[in-house]
């Protein structure tokens, strides 16, 4: 008598996690392929940063509520801060994210989303849940990225199925 078991991996998050369990190199290869696919959106977002949004933002400042020091906005740091992140935690909303790591640029991206303030009044308006540069750049590149990413994910899922 033979016994067989069928394991089915559903979703990108599971696929990435299972690749890591099978072979860390497979997981690294998937992440490299996903980064390659997302590179046009990353480049588009980086190219949006051409100048300091407000002249005063180039200087270091201190937050009023808790006294933390924040480095001033720099175009070079803002461009370098646009990165891809893979989040496979159980409660993660997005799995493959394009994020802004530079603190001053992240503040610029999101200032005024929740509450209107002086900084957001002097910057371009932004709706709740949106960003000023990264979101629009990613949405413009979205169709090409999604089509190519489906192939990368399908290949990874097939690898996981073969490995189990």
């Amino acid at each position: 008598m033979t016994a067989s078991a069928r394991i089915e991996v559903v979703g990108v998050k599971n696929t990435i996690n299972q690749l890591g369990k099978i072979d860390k190199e497979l997981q690294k290869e998937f992440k490299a392929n996903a980064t390659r696919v997302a590179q046009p959106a990353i480049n588009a977002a980086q190219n949006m940063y051409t100048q300091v949004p407000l002249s005063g933002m180039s200087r270091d400042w201190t937050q009023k509520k808790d006294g933390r020091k924040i480095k001033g906005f720099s175009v070079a740091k803002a461009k370098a801060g646009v990165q891809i992140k893979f989040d496979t935690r159980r409660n993660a909303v997005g799995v493959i994210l394009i994020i802004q790591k530079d603190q001053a640029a992240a503040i610029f991206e999101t200032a005024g989303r929740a509450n209107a303030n002086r900084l957001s009044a002097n910057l371009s308006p932004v709706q709740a849940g949106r960003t000023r540069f990264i979101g629009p750049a990613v949405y413009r590149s979205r169709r090409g990225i999604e089509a190519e990413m489906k192939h990368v994910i399908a290949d990874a899922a097939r690898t996981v199925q073969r490995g189990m």
Side-chain angles (χ1 to χ4, degrees), residues 80-152:
V82 178
Q83 299 174 6
I84 191 166
K85 177 183 177 185
F86 297 90
D87 190 359
T88 58
R89 293 175 301 164
R90 183 177 306 174
N91 60 349
V93 175
V95 178
I96 301 171
L97 308 164
I98 296 177
I99 60 170
Q100 176 55 264
K101 295 286 282 186
D102 180 58
Q103 190 175 17
I107 290 170
F108 162 73
E109 286 281 347
T110 60
R113 287 195 317 187
N115 302 324
N117 54 41
R118 284 192 309 173
L119 178 60
S120 66
N122 290 319
L123 297 170
S124 61
V126 66
Q127 297 173 352
R130 304 285 185 200
T131 57
R132 287 185 170 80
F133 287 169
I134 292 177
V138 170
Y139 287 125
R140 280 193 295 275
S141 307
R142 186 176 177 181
R143 289 186 190 230
I145 291 172
E146 284 178 353
E148 216 173 319
M149 194 65 78
K150 284 180 185 178
H151 295 299
V152 171

Side-chain angles (χ1 to χ4, degrees), residues 2 17 28 36 56 64 69 79 81 89-90 99 111 133 138 154 163-164:
T2 61
N17 288 335
K28 286 180 186 178
R36 177 186 49 78
K64 288 181 182 177
K69 299 218 180 281
K79 286 184 178 197
R89 293 175 301 164
R90 183 177 306 174
I99 60 170
F133 287 169
V138 170
M164 294 191 160

Side-chain angles (χ1 to χ4, degrees), residues 7 10 13 19 24 26 32 35 37 49 62 65 84 90 96 118 120 136 141 162:
I7 299 171
V10 179
K13 198 180 306 186
L19 281 172
K24 289 288 185 192
L26 290 173
T35 302
V37 169
Y49 294 104
T62 305
K65 68 178 180 181
I84 191 166
R90 183 177 306 174
I96 301 171
R118 284 192 309 173
S120 66
S141 307
R162 279 191 308 245

Side-chain angles (χ1 to χ4, degrees), residues 52-70:
V52 177
L54 299 172
S55 60
M57 287 185 75
S58 63
R59 294 187 293 272
D60 295 351
W61 73 89
T62 305
Q63 274 191 330
K64 288 181 182 177
K65 68 178 180 181
D66 60 4
R68 285 189 303 151
K69 299 218 180 281
I70 298 171

Side-chain angles (χ1 to χ4, degrees), residues 2-19:
T2 61
S4 65
R6 184 167 184 240
I7 299 171
E8 187 174 330
V9 177
V10 179
V12 177
K13 198 180 306 186
N14 270 341
T15 301
I16 295 171
N17 288 335
Q18 292 301 322
L19 281 172

